[in-house]
């Protein structure tokens, strides 16, 4: 088996290193020698910490996809379009199997690419695209293939989980901790994809397609990130008995699905609350197996290369499965429900003027929307020049529509300073 590897960054260089170091072991398990024959990246002169001297170099990955003498094209460039998409299309057109770690590409164009691959009898494999080193695609597509899934959820972004963990453990600043995650190779080329929830949403879209046997429109996902979470929120939720986690949740009821990515409060005793650092965890709930939890390293060179090469080994073994477990030609489009109708409990942090009557006005706005307050805390007095003080509330279950109406009224009050921070409380 000869590979053409496009992209020699964190994952590409890690994949070349793994294939070199474990070559004998991989050959024994795959039943064939697996070797890199050609590589492509932008800068041929860059030192990548791996020996590339035996490989044919291509400046253009599309040219490599069509011209390199290879069985498998391994796409490790990234991005939902551009060179990555063009090269994958060219590779499938040239009769090469494709292995990719690119969740943006699969989330946006997975169904169309799978259609091409399946029509041509080729494999389009993407184990590394979801949850780094955790073999969740294999678990859901093969091990749990007998089950109907009504919910799949998890911690799907290592960078965000690393940041939230470090903020709680060290009290450090968001920007400094993000820089650490970038230096460790966890973050996307554009880290706003991580911290704004887009990367987790790419992975959730893929999991939802697999779980529900449906094509997902990426624009149907509700996406929020962790930018607005402050050290005060981390400390306050800790006192209330919760942890903050960025979760991706795909939930199906009566034929419609909720697909949402946002920071959540989860009870400290929930298993997912204990998943820390760059670790990811995915919970797949099957109607016969029950709840299956897979946990492991969610990003970085080694874990991601491990997932990429597992796909290569499957192809070498002759394993060919429908891309999303169900043949793509028979996948309907997934119908989703709007977030306005979502019901749940909430944590709300307001910044208000410290003066008599403010809490009564806030409580009245919530009461008028039928929202019951579970707890309310104003600690200390406003010491800033403007007399600002944080007020922390938790609510009983309500709809998002009612909460949003109440929050618009609260935000418009002259005593409210700045936008509220609102986090959903999930019972998992
Ligand atoms: P990266 O470090 O930024 O590497 C990207 C590579 O692509 C670089 O070698 C770059 O070349 C090359 N490249 C960019 N544009 C190109 C073009 N037009 N033509 C040819 N080569 C081009 O990214 P990464 O972290 O390895 O991620 C690669 C993919 O894996 C992405 O889809 C990412 O989402 C996914 N992924 C990453 C992780 C992770 O932990 N990092 C985990 C799971 C999945 P130069 O080096 O010459 O600039
Ligand atoms: N940037 C991604 C993360 C890489 O932090 O989880 C793994 O997909």
């Amino acid at each position: 088996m000869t590979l053409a590897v496009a992209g020699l960054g964190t994952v590409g260089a890690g994949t070349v290193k793994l294939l070199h170091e474990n070559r004998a072991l991989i050959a024994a398990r795959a039943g064939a020698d697996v070797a890199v024959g050609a590589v492509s990246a932008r800068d041929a002169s860059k030192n990548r910490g791996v020996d590339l001297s035996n490989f044919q170099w291509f400046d253009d990955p599309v040219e490599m996809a069509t011209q390199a003498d290879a069985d498998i094209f391994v796409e490790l460039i990234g991005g939902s379009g551009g060179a990555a998409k063009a090269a994958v299309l060219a590779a499938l057109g040239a009769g090469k199997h494709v292995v990719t770690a690119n969740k943006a590409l699969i989330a946006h164009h997975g169904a169309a690419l799978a259609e091409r691959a399946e029509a041509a009898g080729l494999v389009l494999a993407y184990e590394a695209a979801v949850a780094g080193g955790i073999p969740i695609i294999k678990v859901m597509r093969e091990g749990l293939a007998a089950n109907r899934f009504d919910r799949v959820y998890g911690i799907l972004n290592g960078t965000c989980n690393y940041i939230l963990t470090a903020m709680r453990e060290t009290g450090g600043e968001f920007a400094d901790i993000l820089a650490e995650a970038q230096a460790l190779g966890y973050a996307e080329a554009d880290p706003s994809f991580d911290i704004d929830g887009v990367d987790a949403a790419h992975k959730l879209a893929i999991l939802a397609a697999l779980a529900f046997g449906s094509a997902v429109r990426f624009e149907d996902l509700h996406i929020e990130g962790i930018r607005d979470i402050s050290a005060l929120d981390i400390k306050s939720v800790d006192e209330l008995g919760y942890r903050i986690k960025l979760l991706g949740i795909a939930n199906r009821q009566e034929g419609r699905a909720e697909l949402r990515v946002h920071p959540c409060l989860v009870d400290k005793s929930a298993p997912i609350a204990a998943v820390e650092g760059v670790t990811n965890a995915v919970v797949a709930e099957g109607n016969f197996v029950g709840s299956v939890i897979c946990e492991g390293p969610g990003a970085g060179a080694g874990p991601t290369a491990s997932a990429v090469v597992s796909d290569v080994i499957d192809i070498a073994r002759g394993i060919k499965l429908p891309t999303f477990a169900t043949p793509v030609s028979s996948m309907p489009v997934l119908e989703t429900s709007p977030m306005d109708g979502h019901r749940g409990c909430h944590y709300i942090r307001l910044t208000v003027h410290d003066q008599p009557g403010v809490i009564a006005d806030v409580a009245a706005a919530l009461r008028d929307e039928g929202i019951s307050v579970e707890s309310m805390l104003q600690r200390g007095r406003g010491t800033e020049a403007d007399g600002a003080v944080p007020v922390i509330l938790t609510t009983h279950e309500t709809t998002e529509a009612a909460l949003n109406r109440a929050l618009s009224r609260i935000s418009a009050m002259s005593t409210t300073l700045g936008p509220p921070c609102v986090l959903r409380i999930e019972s998992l």
Side-chain angles (χ1 to χ4, degrees):
M1 276 280 152
T2 306
L3 313 186
V5 179
L8 294 169
T10 302
V11 182
T15 299
V16 171
K17 182 169 182 269
L18 190 162
L19 286 163
H20 176 71
E21 281 188 26
N22 287 359
R23 186 167 180 170
L25 173 157
I26 291 166
R29 291 185 182 160
D33 187 41
V34 175
V36 178
V39 292
S40 173
R42 283 176 298 206
D43 182 353
S45 66
K46 208 189 259 183
N47 178 2
R48 300 167 190 280
V50 284
D51 181 12
L52 303 174
S53 57
N54 290 329
F55 312 143
Q56 189 181 3
W57 177 272
F58 286 85
D59 286 325
D60 179 2
V62 177
E63 199 182 312
M64 181 170 78
T66 50
Q67 291 179 16
D69 183 16
D71 306 289
I72 305 174
F73 183 79
V74 183
E75 186 278 304
L76 306 172
I77 296 172
S80 61
K85 185 179 173 205
V88 165
L89 283 169
L92 292 173
K96 294 180 173 68
H97 300 294
V98 170
V99 171
T100 180
N102 188 340
K103 46 269 163 130
L105 179 70
I106 299 298
H108 286 279
H109 306 294
L113 293 172
E115 216 169 292
R116 290 206 183 205
E118 289 175 22
L122 296 166
V123 173
L124 170 66
Y126 53 92
E127 183 64 74
V130 182
I134 305 176
I136 188 64
I137 306 300
K138 194 172 264 292
V139 166
M140 289 181 66
R141 190 167 51 178
E142 297 175 48
L144 302 180
N147 289 267
R148 188 189 74 230
F149 298 103
D150 286 325
R151 187 164 72 159
V152 54
Y153 64 92
I155 294 174
L156 302 175
N157 185 269
T159 302
C160 285
N161 209 45
Y162 181 86
I163 292 172
L164 291 170
T165 303
M167 281 177 80
R168 184 174 53 78
E169 285 177 347
T170 69
E173 293 295 337
F174 182 91
D176 295 339
I177 300 168
L178 171 61
E180 278 171 35
Q182 286 178 286
L184 289 163
Y186 303 155
E188 296 302 300
D190 175 355
S192 66
F193 273 49
D194 295 292
I195 59 181
D196 292 332
V198 178
D199 176 76
H202 287 148
K203 295 164 182 168
L204 185 70
I206 298 171
L207 288 177
L210 254 184
F212 305 145
S214 304
V216 173
R217 289 179 295 240
F218 187 71
E219 57 277 15
D220 287 350
L221 274 82
H222 175 84
I223 309 171
E224 295 170 36
I226 64 167
R227 259 179 215 272
D228 297 331
I229 292 174
S230 67
L232 176 63
D233 295 315
I234 304 258
K235 187 164 170 290
S236 305
V237 309
D238 189 56
E239 286 173 19
L240 290 166
Y242 297 106
R243 293 261 188 274
I244 301 179
K245 295 289 174 194
L246 182 81
L247 295 186
I249 302 171
N251 195 15
R252 184 171 57 172
Q253 269 177 336
E254 291 158 14
R256 296 188 89 85
E258 254 185 13
L259 303 179
R260 49 194 173 96
V261 171
H262 51 77
C264 305
L265 267 59
V266 293
D267 197 281
K268 277 183 195 175
S269 64
I272 210 148
V275 177
E276 300 281 47
V278 72
T279 306
N280 282 192
V282 184
V283 181
E285 295 178 348
N287 66 331
F288 271 70
V289 69
S291 186
V292 174
I293 307 181
C294 300
E295 186 179 332
T304 314
S306 158
V308 168
V309 177
S310 80
D311 279 340
V312 169
I313 293 173
D314 271 358
I315 294 171
R317 285 169 167 165
I319 297 172
K320 194 182 292 178
L321 300 166
T323 316
F324 295 104
T326 307
V328 74
S329 53
S330 55
M331 280 170 56
V333 171
L334 186 66
E335 294 305 326
T336 52
S337 349
M339 282 301 284
D340 262 8
H342 173 74
R343 290 188 68 79
C345 305
H346 294 81
Y347 159 98
I348 304 167
R349 173 176 50 79
L350 303 170
T351 309
V352 298
H353 276 303
D354 187 11
Q355 66 184 52
V358 172
I359 297 289
D361 290 344
V362 168
L366 294 167
R367 177 204 60 207
D368 291 350
E369 291 297 340
I371 299 169
S372 167
V373 173
E374 189 215 29
S375 71
M376 184 181 277
L377 174 71
Q378 177 193 330
R379 191 170 287 160
R381 301 300 309 262
T383 52
E384 305 289 326
D386 59 4
V389 69
V391 172
I392 311 278
L393 302 158
T394 56
T395 73
H396 288 295
E397 200 171 276
T398 179
T399 64
E400 300 240 336
L403 184 71
N404 289 337
R405 284 193 299 271
L407 288 172
S408 314
R409 193 169 139 194
I410 292 167
S411 297
M413 292 173 184
S414 61
T415 47
T416 302
L417 306 167
C421 169
V422 182
L423 300 171
R424 297 172 187 85
I425 303 175
E426 290 296 325
S427 50
L428 298 169

